[in-house]
Amino acid sequence: MATRQGLDAETVLQAAIELADQQGIEQLSLAALATKLTIKTPSLYNHIKGLPDLRKQLSKRGLLLVKETMIEAVIGKAEDEALLAAGVAYVDFARKQPGLYEAISALPDYEDPELKEVGAGVVSFLLRILAPYGLSEEDALHVVRGFRSMVHGFASLEHRNGFRMGLDRDESLRRLLQTYLRGLRADTGREK
């Protein structure tokens, strides 16, 4: 294979995202990526430091995109409506970008400063949505943790074909989020 002219780090990352979304993050290899880009595997090292670096870049991009997806979904919304929209957007992201979502779920290094910073941005965004509820910082962080557990669990089960009944999955997700919101409202004395 000849070296491809004009190849850059963004092109390599986009190709890796496509492969991960098609085959899964665990199946992503440098050899498969090089084949997709019609280059030799060693040429990838001009743009990435290796497979661990590529997985880190995928995780970072996934975190940035899931946050962007949630931000777009909540524009013009507040409180329950915003949190509901963020939850639906999160699951929708996992549906549309399954490999990239897996990269988020399997962060290569939870202590990596770049990934911590991007992850903190997602948490900060969710905390802003929760501000009107008047929660303490600790309580709000517990709510964010519960929210993430809920939407991640739903997305993961769905991805693994865990919902085989003929029920509308979007309706199940909506009911799950609404139940969580009812509990949140009860805890904060804001019952409707």
Side-chain angles (χ1 to χ4, degrees):
M1 285 181 232
T3 301
R4 203 168 98 193
Q5 296 295 320
L7 189 65
D8 60 15
E10 183 60 27
T11 303
V12 170
L13 186 59
Q14 286 302 319
I17 290 169
E18 290 173 20
L19 280 175
D21 284 343
Q22 292 165 1
Q23 302 172 359
I25 193 72
E26 293 303 319
Q27 302 305 314
L28 179 62
S29 68
L30 294 182
L33 181 58
T35 299
K36 179 172 180 60
L37 293 166
T38 63
I39 61 172
K40 294 183 179 180
T41 303
S43 297
L44 288 171
Y45 290 93
N46 294 321
H47 309 287
I48 58 171
K49 296 175 187 165
L51 190 57
D53 178 57
L54 180 61
R55 287 179 187 243
K56 173 185 166 179
Q57 295 307 317
L58 289 168
S59 296
K60 183 177 175 183
R61 180 64 58 91
L63 285 166
L64 289 168
L65 288 176
V66 77
K67 178 183 171 188
E68 181 180 303
T69 300
M70 288 190 296
I71 287 171
E72 288 175 13
V74 304
I75 291 173
K77 297 173 177 74
E79 296 187 28
D80 289 8
E81 190 180 5
L83 205 53
L84 181 66
V88 169
Y90 186 100
V91 172
D92 194 46
F93 174 82
R95 289 172 175 165
K96 291 178 179 173
Q97 302 251 223
L100 199 52
Y101 182 72
E102 282 182 289
I104 296 170
S105 302
L107 287 175
D109 181 1
Y110 284 100
E111 296 304 314
D112 180 274
E114 280 184 71
L115 293 176
K116 279 177 92 169
E117 181 180 341
V118 177
V122 175
V123 172
S124 178
F125 163 70
L126 291 169
L127 290 174
R128 284 194 304 275
I129 291 175
L130 292 171
Y133 292 92
L135 299 164
S136 70
E137 182 179 350
E138 182 178 331
D139 287 344
L141 287 170
H142 285 298
V143 170
V144 168
R145 184 179 280 173
F147 174 82
R148 179 174 180 249
S149 298
M150 183 177 50
V151 292
H152 170 69
F154 191 95
S156 296
L157 284 168
E158 185 176 69
H159 179 69
R160 289 175 174 48
N161 248 350
F163 300 131
R164 295 175 189 241
M165 292 181 193
L167 292 171
D168 182 340
R169 290 181 302 218
D170 290 332
E171 178 65 15
S172 295
L173 176 61
R174 185 186 63 76
R175 289 182 184 204
L176 174 66
L177 290 166
Q178 287 177 332
T179 300
Y180 190 71
L181 289 168
R182 278 194 301 274
L184 177 59
R185 284 193 308 271
D187 281 353
T188 60
R190 300 170 67 104
E191 296 178 81
K192 289 183 180 179

